Amino acid sequence: MAIASRPFRLGVLGSGQGSNFVAIADAITVGAVPAEVALVLSDVAEAGILAHARSRGIPASFLPSGAFRTRLDEKAERAAVAALQATGVDLVVLAGFMRVLKAEFLGTFAGRVINIHPSLLPAFPGRAAWKQALAYGVKVTGCTVHFVDAGVDSGPIIGQRAVPVLAGDSVETLHQRIHAAEHALYPACVAALARGEVTVCGRVVSVAGGGPVVG
Ligand code: GRF
């Protein structure tokens, strides 16, 4: 919820093109999300997300990740925590961030880190979930916004949106349809959090007024 004198602050972490970041930033611009993006960090120097942020005048930094392939090393994780804390972020938004965050990071921002995943969790956690869905032959898949815990795509679910798998879908067409659904779902979930409409009881997340659910 907005702190009396200032807007609700988001810190966004991403590794890729940043279309979800753009969707959230656009929703903020039109007043649909009562928040501001205070900082964007990426572990990929040339990531589109950094360019998108800079073109909007939002502070954006490359975060060298260190020696590991799937996570930040200790120094990098400490640098990320320090930058996010210095900016006073209320919520850490993972938008295509391809590295696992460790306990120290998650402990610092306990209950304040969210992620979007391109499937209806708990189905198809992990990489390339849309490929997994297509290969499995499900007829409905979708996307999920969830709190981040120590597991892989396993935290409490805030919102989900369903996407049909159509006859003749390719990996690309299905991924594109899921992406479009993400661009509606993620801003809606961030808005609910910024408005203080979200409560968590164990695994069960409640959103006042019904919130962002299967569309
Ligand atoms: C999205 O499909 C999201 O579900 C996954 O990474 C992708 C990021 O896409 N976690 P973008 O960089 O926001 O376009």
Side-chain angles (χ1 to χ4, degrees):
M1 199 177 329
I3 313 298
S5 55
R6 65 163 179 83
F8 189 81
R9 283 191 187 144
L10 310 178
V12 181
L13 271 59
S15 308
Q17 59 176 343
S19 68
N20 279 287
F21 158 73
V22 168
I24 292 167
D26 285 349
I28 289 172
T29 302
V30 300
V33 177
E36 67 176 8
V37 181
L39 180 63
V40 172
L41 296 175
S42 179
D43 58 319
V44 179
E46 65 282 3
I49 191 169
L50 289 176
H52 281 303
R54 288 177 183 138
S55 75
R56 287 159 189 264
I58 294 170
S61 302
F62 166 54
L63 179 74
S65 52
F68 304 107
R69 221 167 38 85
T70 56
R71 62 180 170 95
L72 300 173
D73 71 10
E74 236 172 78
K75 187 173 155 220
E77 199 165 280
R78 270 203 307 270
V81 166
L84 292 162
Q85 280 182 324
T87 320
V89 308
D90 300 300
L91 183 69
V92 178
V93 176
L94 306 186
F97 190 61
M98 298 307 285
R99 289 172 192 270
V100 174
L101 295 168
K102 308 300 277 184
E104 197 189 322
F105 186 105
L106 296 176
T108 304
F109 299 102
R112 295 191 292 138
V113 185
I114 63 171
N115 181 45
I116 187 154
H117 181 78
S119 75
L120 292 178
L121 290 170
F124 312 125
R127 299 221 166 206
W130 62 95
K131 276 192 198 166
Q132 298 184 50
L134 201 60
Y136 197 94
V138 294
K139 304 305 178 206
V140 178
T141 183
C143 50
T144 301
V145 174
H146 62 92
F147 286 105
V148 176
D149 65 10
V152 176
D153 304 319
S154 56
I157 290 170
I158 302 164
Q160 293 186 301
R161 201 169 167 105
V163 170
V165 180
L166 303 179
D169 254 342
S170 64
V171 163
E172 290 75 26
T173 56
L174 180 58
H175 192 198
Q176 221 169 28
R177 201 174 309 114
I178 293 172
H179 240 135
E182 290 182 341
H183 300 159
L185 180 67
Y186 217 179
C189 291
V190 173
L193 285 153
R195 293 195 187 104
E197 294 173 351
V198 175
T199 50
V200 186
C201 182
R203 278 213 59 87
V204 179
V205 179
S206 306
V207 182
V213 290
V214 176

